[in-house]
Amino acid sequence: MHPHAFVQGAWRAPRAQARPLRRWNPANLRELVYDGHCAEDHVSDAVEGAARAQRAWGALCLEERLAALDAFAEAFREHERSLAMAIAREVGKPLGEALVEARALPSKWEVTRAAAPRELGRVEPAGVEGYYDWRPLGVFAVLGPFNFPMHLANGHILPALAAGNAVVLKPSEVAPHCATLYVEAWERACATSGMDPALLSLLPGDGVTGAALVDHPGVAGVAFTGSRRVGIALRQRLAARPDVLLALEMGGKNAVLVWEDAALDAAAEDIAFSAFATTGQRCTAASRVLVHPSVADAFLDRLLRAAERWCPGPPLAEETAMGPLATEAAYEHFVRAQGERAGLRTWLEGGRDGESLERSAVVRSERPPGYWVRPAIHEVLDLEAQPQRWQEELFGPELLMERVGGEEAMLERANATRYGLATSVYTGDPGRFERMRPGLRCGLVHHNRPTIGASALLPFGGWKESGNHRPAGALTFRYVVGAVATLRSP
């Protein structure tokens, strides 16, 4: 393992007085996964080296860049299992989920490669002697999250490189080892394709490192996936630099609407999956469920049965559905929240996963210390008792249920949060879904399917404080390039 920065095509040792950066396995706090240092001292070298490499890379035609980047996807395929193992060990994701993420890396390239000629091609409108085309921004900074430490960063990096940019990656301080393996795949791809390895730099570190990168005058674009608090701080930090293109994806407090004509068995399974997969640490996780009163009791029975299958267990065990939370801060925040029950009726008691939870052999087995928690389901009886509970993203396996009837009331409650990322509507009436869809103030609307899971062929992003109208997915190319209009003399 290279426990430091990748700058100007080479791994660099920490400089004097560099602050330590360590990461332990959240499922086994005795296992040190990463032992390195923060790399803000290397920011200038990384950005300047990236800018030099970008000039030649951006001058290539699109077809040449796409052909060269094929080697990156191949490097992912060749090391799929080791990438997945790194994800499981560093962030506690069950290995089955981690393999899905590892396989998504080359799949994202296939979609990006197919879309690039269409998204980056010259446009010649009828009725004007002219056209417009696209130019790379230059050096693009990617500030990655921990919950999908490779996949979500990859979703910014591949389009940015394909469009002719260079990239500097500052991964989450929770997942520096995953980022190291990702960049090692890049290094192998460059060795076989002839790409300049300085086109992608790695700066492990914390918020200080990220701030130093964002502040560098050579950075022309920034993509961030993470918390609302940090997204707002980035917006403020770049207020005096309107030339820097900022793309934000900042999470959600996502609602599911269950109508009286819904298929309740399927809805309950989907909603448990949406709430508890990845231990609730997804920006699109279901955290609120609005149920029509006429079916609320029947739905609740099914939901509790579905939740029983989401038992915490060792990430590397095949039968494990849910691993630990990723950090001590998340663990303490979740446990503290479960003790705050004013205005709630508890149906499934979340909190620390102790010896009392005996639903499966996996849970009863002896485990090393880690950030283990149990899923929680609470029914909201008094919204005024904890007004922020309905607003704040907990980022853990908690589901709040409320009984609501009528389309207008459902829309009002679904939208009653500062976020606007994902909503699911369960109804057997397609007409009702189409009536409700325009009133849901969010970027992702699902009909009879989970809130989690998205298509790379569609946009991915949120409204309100879930983002800033720079959706990723199919529209990622829109924020890694700038348009140039050209007019000809008649």
Side-chain angles (χ1 to χ4, degrees):
M1 179 173 69
H2 299 280
H4 205 58
F6 187 75
V7 174
Q8 296 185 5
W11 293 98
R12 294 200 177 184
R15 292 179 174 172
Q17 307 303 314
R19 291 174 297 112
L21 178 65
R22 296 186 178 93
R23 178 66 182 154
W24 282 265
N25 183 341
N28 178 2
L29 296 177
R30 302 186 187 106
E31 180 187 355
L32 183 65
V33 176
Y34 182 91
D35 188 7
H37 296 80
C38 296
E40 56 265 20
D41 288 347
H42 292 306
V43 166
S44 289
D45 285 350
V47 174
E48 290 163 11
R52 288 192 295 271
Q54 187 275 327
R55 286 191 284 272
W57 177 249
L60 296 176
C61 70
L62 176 61
E63 290 74 16
E64 290 175 304
R65 292 197 298 268
L66 297 180
L69 285 166
D70 285 339
F72 200 10
E74 189 57 34
F76 294 143
R77 293 188 187 95
E78 290 172 356
H79 294 83
E80 176 186 285
R81 189 163 184 85
S82 63
L83 295 174
M85 289 288 289
I87 295 167
R89 291 177 60 233
E90 188 161 47
V91 301
K93 188 176 292 190
L95 184 58
E97 265 195 69
L99 282 165
V100 171
E101 179 172 353
R103 290 165 184 157
L105 302 177
S107 296
K108 177 62 180 177
W109 174 241
E110 293 170 7
V111 173
T112 301
R113 198 188 205 290
R118 178 183 69 252
E119 292 290 319
L120 300 176
R122 178 186 291 192
V123 179
E124 300 187 26
V128 62
E129 290 294 326
Y131 60 91
Y132 64 90
D133 57 5
W134 309 95
R135 308 272 177 85
L137 297 178
V139 177
F140 195 74
V142 174
L143 309 181
F146 73 84
N147 57 340
F148 286 83
M150 296 191 194
H151 171 58
L152 290 178
N154 186 60
H156 301 304
I157 291 169
L158 292 180
L161 290 172
N165 299 283
V167 176
V168 179
L169 169 63
K170 204 298 286 184
S172 168
E173 60 268 36
V174 177
H177 178 53
C178 288
T180 299
L181 295 192
Y182 181 91
V183 173
E184 286 179 346
W186 165 256
E187 191 179 23
R188 289 191 295 271
C190 291
T192 60
S193 69
M195 291 183 293
D196 187 339
L199 287 166
L200 176 60
S201 297
L202 171 66
L203 298 174
D206 54 15
V208 175
T209 310
L213 175 59
V214 170
D215 287 346
H216 195 284
V219 169
V222 177
F224 167 74
T225 304
S227 72
R228 167 182 167 270
R229 177 184 60 82
V230 175
I232 291 172
L234 287 170
R235 191 77 181 261
Q236 293 169 340
R237 200 167 197 100
L238 291 169
R241 296 177 62 195
D243 56 307
V244 178
L245 205 162
L246 177 63
L248 298 173
E249 196 277 279
M250 299 182 292
K253 190 73 174 178
N254 309 295
V256 182
L257 286 55
V258 180
W259 286 95
E260 74 276 10
D261 60 353
L264 296 183
D265 289 323
E269 292 290 341
D270 285 355
I271 292 167
F273 173 56
S274 297
F276 306 139
T278 322
T279 323
Q281 298 169 116
R282 295 197 189 201
C283 56
T284 53
S287 54
R288 303 178 293 141
V289 56
L290 310 175
V291 189
H292 193 277
S294 66
V295 295
D297 289 338
F299 168 77
L300 181 59
D301 288 342
R302 290 165 170 81
L303 179 62
L304 292 172
R305 287 199 299 272
E308 289 179 357
R309 290 187 279 279
W310 290 90
C311 297
L316 299 184
E318 289 185 8
E319 64 270 36
T320 294
M322 194 178 87
L325 289 171
T327 68
E328 182 179 12
Y331 172 76
E332 295 297 341
H333 182 50
F334 180 80
V335 170
R336 187 166 52 250
Q338 300 318 304
E340 299 169 356
R341 299 186 183 178
L344 303 178
R345 175 186 290 149
T346 296
W347 293 105
L348 187 62
E349 184 174 347
R352 290 183 176 87
D353 172 32
E355 295 178 1
S356 61
L357 185 64
E358 297 180 350
R359 292 197 181 93
S360 73
V362 171
V363 174
R364 287 195 300 271
S365 65
E366 183 179 349
R367 282 199 304 260
Y371 304 129
W372 302 98
V373 296
R374 303 190 303 269
I377 298 175
H378 307 290
E379 183 174 352
V380 178
L381 303 180
D382 181 2
L383 288 165
E384 299 303 319
Q386 294 190 66
Q388 293 306 306
R389 194 66 168 260
W390 199 256
Q391 287 282 339
E392 297 295 340
E393 184 180 37
L394 184 59
F395 225 56
E398 177 188 81
L399 191 61
L400 303 177
M401 173 183 150
E402 186 180 357
R403 301 172 193 240
V404 182
E407 291 185 12
E408 186 173 332
M410 280 276 201
L411 284 174
E412 180 183 353
R413 297 302 306 140
N415 291 329
T417 171
R418 62 167 54 96
Y419 293 104
L421 184 55
T423 302
S424 292
V425 181
Y426 284 84
T427 176
D429 181 354
R432 171 183 279 153
F433 174 76
E434 291 300 332
R435 286 194 306 273
M436 299 197 74
R437 189 178 66 85
L440 293 166
R441 301 290 293 169
C442 61
L444 306 167
V445 182
H446 303 280
H447 185 200
N448 294 338
R449 53 160 287 138
T451 56
I452 62 176
S455 170
L457 299 175
L458 297 173
F460 181 91
W463 289 40
K464 298 193 284 186
E465 294 186 29
S466 285
N468 64 339
H469 303 284
R470 298 288 184 184
L475 299 184
T476 305
F477 279 117
R478 307 289 174 90
Y479 58 76
V480 297
V481 292
V484 178
T486 300
L487 286 170
R488 303 185 186 92
S489 176

